[in-house]
Amino acid sequence: MSTQTPTRRSRRWIEDWRPEDPDFWEAGGRRVARRNLIWSIFAEHLGFSVWLIWSVSSAFLVATGFDYTPQQLFLLVALPNLVGSLLRLPYTFAVPKFGGRNWTMASAALLLIPTLGFAYAVQRPETPYWVFCLIAATAGLGGGNFASSMANINFFYPSAKKGAALGLNAAGGNLGVSLIQLFLPVIVGGAGIFGLVKASEGGIDLQRAAWVYAGLAIVATLAAYFFMDNLSTAKSSPREQLQVVRKRQTWIMAFLYIGTFGSFIGYSAAMPLLIKLNFWVPEPAPLGTGIYFAYFAFLGALVGSATRPFGGWLADRLGGAKVTLGAFAAMVVFTLAVLWTLMQLTPNPTADPAIASANQSWFPWFLGFFLCVFAATGIGNGSTYKMIPAIWRTEAERATPAGTPERTAALLAGTKQASAAIGVIGAVGAIGGFLIPMAFSAPWVADPMSATKGAFLVFTVFYVVCGAVTWAVYLRRPAEVRSQSLAGAGI
């Protein structure tokens, strides 16, 4: 008779892990999985905050003595997203290689590099722009944490609970974007919180945020050491994991994930500058007298993070493909609505107060529609990450007879491949976080407002294509291929 509780090879490694066994799960597996999920969320949350620290701090740089153009500021915002997307693949492979606990410790400690570099640079207005770009790029280390965290948690949960677990893990991490955008202005003294906390009268000290997050990186490292586990059953070689790049489904899902997560992270990174550049206010203004970006920049990421587990929950009940298609449909509608509000604005290169006041009257519409876009990206993020393990599980079940050792082995291999696919898909999807800020700062368009309008139009067309692909691959059921189509599997 097999053991019904997790068997440990040592304090740091769990040898026997069978989450699909209901008795094993109830006897102790659930408790262990929940503990690892909690501390994974904390470390990933911190990684996201560091990853997006430049998204809001860049809007303060001019006020602290750095003379940068909008295009230069958008590049500082975009670079961490590019590096973070590229790091997601090796970070995914690191979990089976070194263990989820061990890599969480290492990845949390690596966050000291971008935080301490940030603290050094922002205190010196003479710092060359290229040095700022290099330091901003190291913030991408935080972006890699998402892939390793998701790959790790995927091993801990049974298939029936993966949607909710991965949704919570991702949402907790995504929430780091919102909180850094909410609290950084308070920490550095650049703004209060809707008048509840007063802005500092001593000026803006951006380095304070770096010290806070460097300290939290140390806390996350220690928490992973004391409270997380490695799974021996999650071990695999990079060669085994790289097999997923040959699969058509990997690249289809990566394309869709550009539309969901790429939009979430790209819009989150760009939102502070979008508000500042398009709804100009010369100084921090009390609520009701102007639009100050620090009061509102965090809301988009907050909404997108909050709706992500809801998307996973919906996908568990309705099917990931249906929910994903609905998310893209909503993104098309509300992106067009955002574009409509921007069409009402008057370009204001001279910062004329009368024009600024007229433009600000459209801000509630812009914000409301933009938050609906964020909500749709969050739902789509949750549903797409439910689809990934479901696709690999379905293929494993179709290839092997039920109740056989071959089925058990195929399901384990499918879980490993799904975790690897999560890394590849996450890496490709996160590139949207680089492309979106760059689209808003298109150097061939002299007027930033015109560049913004053109970018939203392109994004709308892209979401239409993403919706069409979702329907054609995962929902359409042509008679001649119905037996083999994934549409019939409830992905």
Side-chain angles (χ1 to χ4, degrees), residues 354-444:
I355 296 177
S357 178
N359 286 345
Q360 288 161 16
S361 67
W362 288 99
F363 180 73
W365 294 96
F366 170 85
L367 181 64
F369 290 137
F370 211 174
L371 293 183
C372 289
V373 174
F374 271 104
T377 66
I379 291 172
N381 286 338
S383 61
T384 51
Y385 260 51
K386 165 62 178 177
M387 292 172 66
I388 297 168
I391 289 169
W392 266 262
R393 180 178 179 84
T394 298
E395 291 186 344
E397 289 174 342
R398 286 180 171 179
T400 55
T404 63
E406 290 79 10
R407 167 68 65 85
T408 301
L411 290 175
L412 177 59
T415 299
K416 291 181 178 180
Q417 288 201 352
S419 292
I422 283 173
V424 175
I425 293 165
V428 176
I431 291 177
F434 172 75
L435 296 177
I436 285 178
M438 295 306 295
F440 288 137
S441 62
W444 55 87

Side-chain angles (χ1 to χ4, degrees), residues 5-243:
T5 57
T7 302
R8 294 180 179 273
R9 189 173 71 202
S10 70
R11 181 180 177 278
R12 296 177 176 86
W13 288 88
I14 295 177
E15 188 74 24
D16 180 29
W17 186 255
R18 291 171 284 111
E20 300 293 346
D21 182 341
D23 294 333
F24 177 92
W25 182 250
E26 295 299 332
R30 182 199 302 272
R31 175 178 52 81
V32 173
R34 184 186 299 117
R35 173 166 45 79
N36 279 270
L37 174 61
I38 289 170
W39 293 108
S40 173
I41 288 173
F42 176 69
E44 187 192 345
H45 175 97
L46 179 62
F48 264 93
S49 291
V50 173
W51 192 20
L52 271 291
I53 194 170
W54 288 93
S55 70
V56 65
S57 61
S58 62
F60 286 112
L61 287 179
V62 174
T64 55
F66 297 92
D67 186 20
Y68 295 147
T69 66
Q71 286 78 12
Q72 288 176 309
L73 293 175
F74 272 117
L75 181 59
L76 289 177
V77 167
L79 281 173
N81 293 335
L82 176 62
V83 175
S85 68
L86 297 176
L87 287 178
R88 286 187 164 198
L89 197 58
Y91 268 54
T92 299
F93 295 163
V95 170
K97 179 68 175 178
F98 303 107
R101 166 190 173 273
N102 294 346
W103 187 250
T104 301
M105 291 168 52
S107 60
L110 284 170
L111 297 179
L112 291 171
I113 296 173
T115 52
L116 297 181
F118 180 93
Y120 172 84
V122 297
Q123 297 181 73
R124 295 165 174 79
E126 71 277 8
T127 303
Y129 179 70
W130 70 266
V131 174
F132 262 95
C133 289
L134 183 62
I135 294 173
T138 66
L141 290 166
N145 286 16
F146 175 83
S148 56
S149 178
M150 295 293 279
N152 184 40
I153 293 304
N154 184 55
F155 285 111
F156 276 95
Y157 278 82
S159 296
K161 300 183 182 297
K162 284 185 191 292
L166 293 176
L168 284 171
N169 190 56
N174 293 171
L175 192 60
V177 179
S178 178
L179 291 189
I180 188 71
Q181 292 178 336
L182 172 63
F183 288 116
L184 184 142
V186 179
I187 293 170
V188 305
I193 305 178
F194 297 107
L196 300 178
V197 178
K198 291 185 178 180
S200 170
E201 296 180 358
I204 298 173
D205 295 312
L206 287 172
Q207 68 273 14
R208 292 179 191 167
W211 301 131
V212 169
Y213 279 93
L216 289 174
I218 296 173
V219 172
T221 304
L222 294 175
Y225 177 82
F226 287 110
F227 302 118
M228 293 187 71
D229 303 291
N230 300 309
L231 296 179
S232 296
T233 55
K235 300 287 283 184
S236 64
S237 68
R239 176 175 294 182
E240 290 178 305
Q241 292 178 290
L242 281 172
Q243 291 177 3

Side-chain angles (χ1 to χ4, degrees), residues 259-414:
T260 58
F261 181 77
S263 296
F264 167 81
I265 201 66
Y267 290 148
S268 296
M271 193 169 183
L273 283 174
L274 282 178
I275 295 174
K276 184 175 182 179
L277 295 175
N278 292 293
F279 300 92
W280 173 84
V281 171
E283 297 292 342
L287 189 64
T289 63
I291 309 304
Y292 184 44
F293 74 91
Y295 292 152
F296 303 100
F298 73 96
L299 290 173
L302 177 63
V303 170
S305 301
T307 57
R308 181 158 189 160
F310 179 62
W313 179 83
L314 279 178
D316 283 337
R317 285 152 180 77
L318 304 177
K322 292 179 181 178
V323 177
T324 301
L325 180 59
F328 281 125
M331 290 167 69
V332 169
V333 172
F334 291 115
T335 302
L336 286 174
V338 170
L339 180 59
W340 173 76
T341 63
L342 292 175
M343 297 293 289
Q344 314 308 312
L345 304 184
T346 302
N348 193 15
T350 61
D352 183 286
I355 296 177
S357 178
N359 286 345
Q360 288 161 16
S361 67
W362 288 99
F363 180 73
W365 294 96
F366 170 85
L367 181 64
F369 290 137
F370 211 174
L371 293 183
C372 289
V373 174
F374 271 104
T377 66
I379 291 172
N381 286 338
S383 61
T384 51
Y385 260 51
K386 165 62 178 177
M387 292 172 66
I388 297 168
I391 289 169
W392 266 262
R393 180 178 179 84
T394 298
E395 291 186 344
E397 289 174 342
R398 286 180 171 179
T400 55
T404 63
E406 290 79 10
R407 167 68 65 85
T408 301
L411 290 175
L412 177 59

